[in-house]
Amino acid sequence: MSTHSIVNEGFLRPEPPLTPRTKEFWTSGHDGVLRIAQCDDCGQWMHPPQPVCRSCQSRSISSTAVAGTGTVFSYTVNRYQWSPTIEPPYVIAEVALDDADVVLMTALIDCEIHAVSIGMPVDVCFAISGDTFIPLFRPVTP
Amino acid sequence: MSTHFEASAVVSGIGMSQVGRRLELDPWLLTTEAALEAIFDAGLTTDDIDGISTYPGAMWSTPGITGAGCDDVRSMLGLRTKWHSGGGERPGQLGAVIDAMLAVHAGLANHVLCFRTVWESTAQQYLGGRSAALNKAANGKILPFGRELDQWTAPYGIGYPSHGALRMQRYMTESGATREQFAQLALVSRANAALNPNAIHRDPMTVDDYLDSRMISDPLCLFDCDVPVDGSVAVIVSQAGTTDSSRAVSFQAIGSAAGVNESCSMMWSRTDLRPPDIDIAEIYDGFTIYAVEWIEALGLCAKFEAGALLEGGARISLNGEIPVSTNGGQLSAGRLHGFGSFHEACLQLRGEAAERQVPRTPQIAAVTSGAEQFSSALLLGAPR
Ligand SMILES: [Zn+2]
């Protein structure tokens, strides 16, 4: 596990609602650590989080700290304004985490929109919105 | 082997309202136009209709995505029903037709009115389709009446096109398919639409038109997206043998699993027919990538070989080996959410598609609806 920075993007992203099912994911970044739901009994990773394991039906699920590094599984440059606060164009990506078998749908920041490629290594950071810490990813700089 | 319930039901009648951009008409009126045409086409009257099935029915949604519910139609047309079902959690939009088949097979109803009504084009103008997406995240808060799913997309500014774009990008990288190959779906659909007086966009399109069009979410451009419209389609699902069999389209097999590949596998497991038996494919083309996924899932080509099938467009055109979207699809004829494709398949199988009739009246049509985990696939047969 490693800690990652909180970024100030200069605007507020829509704040996800904190529910018993998702609160731990959306607040995990408070200490700079990304956490993913994992089954205590068989190790199955799950995202979005759920209260029962889809492999063994165990109800013992923990929010497990992960490294926060991954690679781009797919990406797109969105040109359309879907949120009043997020100005296009911006890069949306699916990121496969290095140490957890999940793919997160997220946004890439601090990168040229034409410099993204599938397989590109990325690293998590967090944007604060209200009580939430929204995981975003940035290209890993050598 | 499970019961082959598909043989219990037929498509006895079809109807389609006027379809257009910003018709500014009451969606109940569009529904009525389609429903009465379908009932008449089946040789029935409203007194004969004893079931209703629709997607998604009366519900909160983005503006214009639903134009009438079961109760609306029942009371509006004075129907006396024994069974009805409407809802969004179905195996694709055509899950409403599969439900009707089940009701007929079970003896709950003899003649089920299935319909799909959209009025997105008008609703977006007056109620603010785009602004509705924006309002949902007003003041940085996701309003609680939205789908819980929104929390995974709204913080990132992810709209529907980006879902398709992520799949398209991944597909192009893995398969080597090009934008020029994707363009052929738009071009062939447009060429077919030119022969369909009810299609929305009928002007010829070139590869350059496609390549030069506005990017929505790279690599997905404007012409990779279907066209929101106002319109309604109705089909009557009847007990086999109770209506004019010379016009009745048969159900050969259905697939209702969660997933494009899963639905097609299930469909093929329920019939002795094989992919080469498909004469026409009316596939769901909300985005071109969805059409590509259906083409491969149906077995019309091998995985990652759709690009080669689409190359140049000839093989999927009206005179080609496997015509697709013969009415112009949702890309050019308008987003009637799978029901437009179903209507077209029935017209083609009945040999009534006029100028765009595929040569040698097709005997078997594949029709698909939905995408990703929201999917259904059907094989329809010509009247005999
Ligand atoms: Zn488990």
Side-chain angles (χ1 to χ4, degrees), chain B residues 245-256:
Chain B
S245 62
S246 71
R247 297 168 63 72
V249 169
S250 65
F251 292 103
Q252 296 294 318
I254 64 106
S256 54

Side-chain angles (χ1 to χ4, degrees), chain B residues 127-168:
Chain B
L127 304 178
R130 179 174 172 189
S131 64
L134 298 177
N135 290 340
K136 199 151 53 181
N139 309 317
K141 295 271 188 196
I142 298 169
L143 298 182
F145 57 74
R147 294 189 305 169
E148 192 179 30
L149 225 52
D150 290 341
Q151 71 177 290
W152 304 111
T153 53
Y156 301 113
I158 300 173
Y160 283 118
S162 291
H163 287 277
L166 289 165
R167 299 175 84 89
M168 185 173 172

Side-chain angles (χ1 to χ4, degrees), chain B residues 34-372:
Chain B
L36 294 183
E37 183 176 299
I39 293 166
F40 180 79
D41 184 55
L44 301 171
T45 72
T46 50
D47 290 341
D48 298 312
I49 301 300
D50 55 3
I52 308 177
S53 185
T54 191
Y55 166 89
M59 57 173 274
W60 181 90
S61 76
T62 51
I65 203 78
T66 179
C70 289
D71 282 344
D72 299 332
V73 168
R74 185 180 48 73
S75 64
M76 177 172 69
L77 297 181
L79 306 177
R80 289 179 298 277
T81 56
K82 296 189 289 190
W83 174 87
H84 69 267
S85 170
E89 283 206 307
R90 294 188 180 286
Q93 295 88 352
L94 291 176
V97 171
I98 297 173
D99 260 19
M101 296 165 65
L102 286 165
V104 161
H105 176 73
L108 298 179
N110 289 313
H111 304 289
V112 180
L113 168 64
C114 306
F115 72 93
R116 173 84 185 98
T117 304
V118 289
W119 56 298
E120 289 177 279
S121 184
T122 289
Q124 287 181 3
Q125 183 181 17
Y126 288 106
L127 304 178
R130 179 174 172 189
S131 64
L134 298 177
N135 290 340
K136 199 151 53 181
N139 309 317
K141 295 271 188 196
I142 298 169
L143 298 182
F145 57 74
R147 294 189 305 169
E148 192 179 30
L149 225 52
D150 290 341
Q151 71 177 290
W152 304 111
T153 53
Y156 301 113
I158 300 173
Y160 283 118
S162 291
H163 287 277
L166 289 165
R167 299 175 84 89
M168 185 173 172
Q169 180 74 66
R170 179 87 190 168
Y171 181 87
M172 289 171 72
T173 302
E174 285 192 294
S175 71
T178 63
R179 287 192 65 215
E180 286 80 358
Q181 291 169 335
F182 273 83
Q184 291 301 330
L185 277 167
L187 267 61
V188 169
S189 296
R190 184 60 63 91
N192 295 344
L195 303 175
N196 175 6
N198 296 322
I200 300 296
H201 293 307
R202 305 181 63 202
D203 298 336
M205 187 193 295
T206 66
V207 173
D208 284 340
D209 291 337
Y210 173 94
L211 294 176
D212 294 343
S213 75
R214 185 159 51 91
M215 271 296 168
I216 304 295
S217 193
D218 310 27
L220 187 146
C221 69
L222 181 67
F223 293 137
D224 289 308
C225 304
D226 63 0
V227 188
V229 294
D230 301 338
S232 181
V233 176
V235 304
I236 311 298
V237 173
S238 296
Q239 287 275 7
T242 63
T243 61
D244 179 0
S245 62
S246 71
R247 297 168 63 72
V249 169
S250 65
F251 292 103
Q252 296 294 318
I254 64 106
S256 54
V260 168
N261 289 313
E262 291 80 356
S263 286
C264 289
S265 298
M266 176 181 166
M267 181 185 80
W268 289 122
S269 77
R270 299 182 61 80
T271 177
D272 293 331
L273 295 167
R274 300 275 61 104
D277 295 318
I278 298 177
D279 297 316
I280 53 170
E282 308 294 353
I283 47 181
Y284 192 84
D285 56 351
F287 300 120
T288 50
I289 180 64
Y290 291 159
V292 163
E293 291 178 357
W294 278 117
I295 284 171
E296 294 187 355
L298 282 169
L300 300 178
C301 67
K303 184 175 168 66
F304 291 152
E305 289 180 10
L309 177 63
L310 301 178
E311 178 76 34
R315 294 169 70 192
I316 59 166
S317 67
L318 283 185
N319 295 308
E321 65 195 69
I322 179 66
V324 304
S325 302
T326 53
N327 65 338
Q330 300 190 167
L331 295 173
S332 281
R335 181 194 298 156
L336 292 165
H337 258 160
F339 275 67
S341 307
F342 189 95
H343 183 277
E344 173 69 7
C346 292
L347 275 185
Q348 290 281 350
L349 292 168
R350 289 174 10 176
E352 298 171 1
E355 277 190 86
R356 63 183 188 279
Q357 179 66 48
V358 169
R360 296 182 309 279
T361 303
Q363 296 302 301
I364 297 293
V367 187
T368 67
S369 74
E372 304 186 20

Side-chain angles (χ1 to χ4, degrees), chain A residues 13-15 21-22 25-26 47-49 73-82 84 90 92 105-107 118 134-135, chain B residues 130 133-134 137 140-142 148 151-152 154-159 161-163 165-166 169-170 173 215-218:
Chain A
R13 290 176 178 269
E15 180 188 346
R21 198 182 306 148
T22 64
F25 178 79
W26 288 123
H47 184 78
F73 179 82
S74 192
Y75 66 96
T76 177
V77 181
N78 175 70
R79 310 278 176 173
Y80 197 78
Q81 186 149 13
W82 292 95
Y90 48 87
I92 292 164
M105 202 177 284
T106 182
I118 288 177
I134 298 169
Chain B
R130 179 174 172 189
L134 298 177
K141 295 271 188 196
I142 298 169
E148 192 179 30
Q151 71 177 290
W152 304 111
Y156 301 113
I158 300 173
S162 291
H163 287 277
L166 289 165
Q169 180 74 66
R170 179 87 190 168
T173 302
M215 271 296 168
I216 304 295
S217 193
D218 310 27

Side-chain angles (χ1 to χ4, degrees), chain A residues 1 28-29 36 44 52 56 64 69 74 81 86-88 100 102 113 117 139 141:
Chain A
M1 155 177 76
S28 176
I36 301 293
Q44 173 78 48
V52 58
C56 74
T64 303
T69 57
S74 192
Q81 186 149 13
I86 313 176
E87 286 286 331
V102 293
I113 61 172
S117 60
T141 43

